[in-house]
Amino acid sequence: MPDIFSAERVLQIGQRIEFFLDNMTEGVSSRIEDIQGKKLVVAMPLDSKKRPVIPVSNDHIYGSAISKGCQYRFFTTYRDKAMDTIPVWILDMPDTVERCQNREFVRVHVSMPIKIRMMDEEGSWGPLTKTTTVDISGGGLAFSWPKRVKEGTSVSIEINNLPKIGTLSLMCVVAQCRAIEKDDAANYLIGVRMLNLTRPIRNKLIKFIFDIQCQNLAKGVKLY
């Protein structure tokens, strides 16, 4: 069960926040200045050269906050800037936040078509094969496969029609392979780690995963 909490119980005035924008490789620091109903007002962040960071209106932004020793992440939308006592961003107040688990990236179960090429021991690519994902995270995924594969094997993957991403095509490496009981020919679960995933694409992938969690939550899981 995902650790999803009501945002209003976690986000507080004066709290430090780090934001990650799609066009930036590093996060920028900010602080919650005010909460006005459905608006979250935060100090305008500065980049590494001390320049104000001003997103485009309606940009989706990934945020991370610490509360009571736990890290929480959430997604919001940038609406405008304002000059109050200090320059600020005006954001949508998120409905929910997710408490980050001990593992680096949370996995969700999702079945999507995926195209795979496996590299053999001689370094040659095998045929393009279609299968389905079993789960996905911000750093890897798992899929069903008809035979055992050695850890460390190079894998080329392609997933089409990912929201906000389109086609995800990149290299991976097999991190685990375990047998599973199935009636059909696909009787191994292959877990792969994604390689060279850029920060903007990773953020969009995490947003996709977060949306799935919220959809699951809407089906009957109560907020903490």
Side-chain angles (χ1 to χ4, degrees), residues 144-162:
S144 56
W145 198 248
K147 59 183 179 181
R148 186 174 297 278
V149 179
K150 290 183 179 180
E151 292 184 10
T153 298
S154 295
V155 183
S156 170
I157 71 166
E158 179 181 311
I159 306 176
N160 296 314
N161 301 319
L162 277 171

Side-chain angles (χ1 to χ4, degrees), residues 9-116:
R9 298 187 60 181
V10 174
L11 301 182
Q12 304 292 329
I13 294 173
Q15 193 173 30
R16 302 296 302 184
I17 291 184
E18 188 171 17
F19 291 109
F20 297 90
L21 284 72
D22 286 348
N23 62 345
M24 301 180 69
T25 58
E26 301 295 333
V28 290
S29 297
S30 181
R31 179 183 64 252
I32 298 178
E33 298 295 327
D34 199 4
I35 297 175
Q36 304 171 357
K38 292 296 185 179
K39 293 182 179 179
L40 182 66
V41 181
V42 304
M44 184 176 292
L46 303 177
D47 64 15
S48 59
K49 296 183 179 180
K50 305 301 181 183
R51 298 173 301 192
V53 177
I54 303 176
V56 176
S57 182
N58 298 321
D59 267 2
H60 296 291
I61 299 175
Y62 170 40
S64 175
I66 302 294
S67 177
K68 298 180 181 179
C70 296
Q71 183 177 4
Y72 297 85
R73 63 184 179 190
F74 60 92
F75 289 88
T76 181
T77 301
Y78 174 83
R79 296 303 181 187
D80 204 353
K81 63 182 184 298
M83 295 295 296
D84 200 345
T85 306
I86 62 171
V88 296
W89 282 358
I90 300 173
L91 310 170
D92 287 348
M93 179 67 174
D95 293 325
T96 59
V97 298
E98 177 193 32
R99 184 170 61 191
C100 299
Q101 299 179 1
N102 291 332
R103 62 188 304 160
E104 184 179 5
F105 297 109
V106 176
R107 289 183 179 271
V108 294
H109 292 286
V110 59
S111 178
M112 298 182 296
I114 184 173
K115 298 176 183 178
I116 301 290

